[in-house]
Amino acid sequence: MSPIAASRRQPAMVLAVLTIIVLMAGCASPGVITGGGRLPQVPAKVPAARLPPIAFPQDEAPHQDLTEWWYYTGHLHGADASGNPHTYGFEFTVFQNLRGPLPPYYAAHFAVSDLTRGAFHYDERAVTEPLSAIPPAGSTHGFALNVGGWHMDGLNGRDHLAAAMDGYRIALSLTGLKPAVLHGGMGLITYGLAGFSYYYSRPLIAVAGTLTDHGTAVSVAGTAWMDHQWGNFITLAGSGWDWYSLQLDDNTEYMLYIIRDAQKRPVSTVGTYVAPDGTASEIPGSAITSTPTGHWTSPMTGGTYPSGWVVTIASQGLTLTITPDLLDQELVTARSTGVAYWEGAASLRGTVAGHTITGQGYVELTGYANLPPGSGGLGIP
């Protein structure tokens, strides 16, 4: 994909602003633009013959579907030149949205959980691009995304991330340590009335590079998780999900995804277990329970989020206590996707088959908060 240059907005600034307003109106979840009216009922499973299977590296590239995102979360540790230790969590994501005759719309979010300072920081950017920016179907060149100077590219599990905001800058190289994992069995999950999404993850990625912290370069290393979703789906107003990526110290990983409709009823529960050798298997939704251990109320939005969980997976003999590394890891993204959501680093401790286990993870919570009144920089209500 050709780079997405922010300068392309300038020749048609008025059109771009109007496009952003139309696209963002009614957003319900990060990067997912909601649509009006009623959607047809869809079955819980998609017959395999209806949609082609995921193919690599072709499906790493952008698609011409309604909704798409590339999502990285990770944990970094390192030391500056004086030997001072630092620990961070990070999130970096790019969303692509296509709506009818409107030009493709891209939003990006970058967040750092500075665990050494006990502080959370984030920023957002957005651009529009011509449809020609999306490569033709079947491209084998991966993805190369540039949203206002923030860069994300990848192919065959070798990726690069570069983003900056006030106080923090990352320049990271990533190498997948396990194969891509298809969720929902064949890589398709349902959002109920909202449609279906292709979904794969790279559940264990080695990270190395530099995180510049308030002008001080910190050489960092760690691990990350990458999600890629795309399809002709939207998110209905009021709906949301709880999503967990869990990386355990026994070299196993879990993805848990509890999707709710606008009435807060579960639409589907998707779970995947990744063994040490990289093989993946579905976890029955009936085997998964998640119980909040507390709540946190945002001073910015007034939304109340669950905060801390006990997760059990009966089929794996696993019980985990998930503890947020910071209480406040909420992003309020009025200038890009028009939503508020919580996305944060967490620590894991529990037992599997009677043995003590620890690990690290990320949790995403959507549908719990709305933008505060007057926060829409582009006239968003």
Side-chain angles (χ1 to χ4, degrees):
M1 178 176 182
S2 62
I4 301 169
S7 62
R8 295 183 187 177
R9 292 178 291 172
Q10 295 175 358
M13 181 61 70
V14 174
L15 174 61
V17 171
L18 290 174
T19 299
I20 292 171
I21 291 173
V22 170
L23 286 168
M24 288 169 57
C27 267
S29 294
V32 182
I33 310 303
T34 57
R38 297 180 61 85
L39 293 173
Q41 182 68 44
V42 294
K45 295 286 185 179
V46 180
R50 284 197 193 174
L51 295 171
I54 292 177
F56 293 104
Q58 294 89 334
D59 281 321
E60 296 190 68
H63 301 79
Q64 295 197 17
D65 291 333
L66 290 174
T67 303
E68 186 159 14
W69 61 69
W70 298 258
Y71 223 112
Y72 293 84
T73 54
H75 305 261
L76 304 173
H77 54 84
D80 58 32
S82 299
N84 299 311
H86 296 265
T87 305
Y88 309 94
F90 79 92
E91 171 202 351
F92 184 30
T93 183
V94 171
F95 307 101
Q96 174 184 285
N97 285 279
L98 305 180
R99 296 295 182 267
L102 296 173
Y105 176 74
Y106 295 86
H109 299 165
F110 171 43
V112 171
S113 299
D114 188 334
L115 304 183
T116 305
R117 285 189 173 89
F120 179 70
H121 301 270
Y122 68 93
D123 202 354
E124 56 185 319
R125 296 188 179 180
V127 299
T128 57
E129 280 294 301
L131 190 60
S132 60
I134 300 176
S139 170
T140 58
H141 299 294
F143 55 95
L145 308 170
N146 178 349
V147 181
W150 292 356
H151 299 266
M152 173 186 293
D153 66 76
L155 177 66
N156 295 323
R158 294 188 176 273
D159 308 341
H160 300 89
L161 308 178
M165 61 178 159
D166 187 23
Y168 299 92
R169 176 186 300 272
I170 56 171
L172 303 175
S173 296
L174 298 86
T175 303
L177 300 178
K178 292 186 178 182
V181 169
L182 306 185
H183 299 296
M186 60 180 180
L188 281 169
I189 66 170
T190 179
Y191 285 91
L193 293 176
F196 295 92
S197 171
Y198 283 103
Y199 180 18
Y200 71 82
S201 298
R202 295 193 182 275
L204 187 62
I205 304 171
V207 185
T210 301
L211 191 155
T212 303
D213 182 341
H214 293 82
T216 298
V218 181
S219 296
V220 293
T223 57
W225 179 291
M226 183 267 199
D227 274 355
H228 185 194
Q229 285 190 238
W230 71 94
N232 289 315
F233 68 96
I234 58 175
T235 296
L236 302 179
S239 60
W241 54 73
D242 297 0
W243 172 87
Y244 310 82
S245 65
L246 310 174
Q247 298 169 319
L248 300 183
D249 293 339
D250 63 356
N251 198 28
T252 63
E253 296 81 39
Y254 295 82
M255 190 289 298
L256 309 178
Y257 203 173
I258 304 168
I259 301 169
R260 306 180 305 275
D261 64 15
Q263 287 71 47
K264 311 305 181 186
R265 299 171 302 196
V267 171
S268 66
T269 299
V270 183
T272 303
Y273 163 72
V274 185
D277 66 359
T279 58
S281 57
E282 287 188 83
I283 302 171
S286 59
I288 300 169
T289 63
S290 174
T291 305
T293 58
H295 292 83
W296 173 78
T297 298
S298 165
M300 177 66 70
T301 64
T304 297
Y305 297 86
S307 183
W309 303 263
V310 173
V311 169
T312 62
I313 304 176
S315 59
Q316 300 291 324
L318 177 69
T319 300
L320 283 179
T321 297
I322 302 175
T323 304
D325 291 333
L326 297 173
L327 289 177
D328 184 355
Q329 298 182 81
E330 181 188 45
L331 295 88
V332 182
T333 62
R335 294 182 291 110
S336 58
T337 54
V339 297
Y341 67 104
W342 194 99
E343 177 105 17
S347 298
L348 315 177
R349 178 171 293 274
T351 59
V352 57
H355 301 287
T356 300
I357 192 73
T358 59
Q360 58 192 10
Y362 250 80
V363 178
E364 181 178 274
L365 308 170
T366 74
Y368 290 97
N370 298 314
L371 292 180
S375 65
L378 292 171
I380 306 305

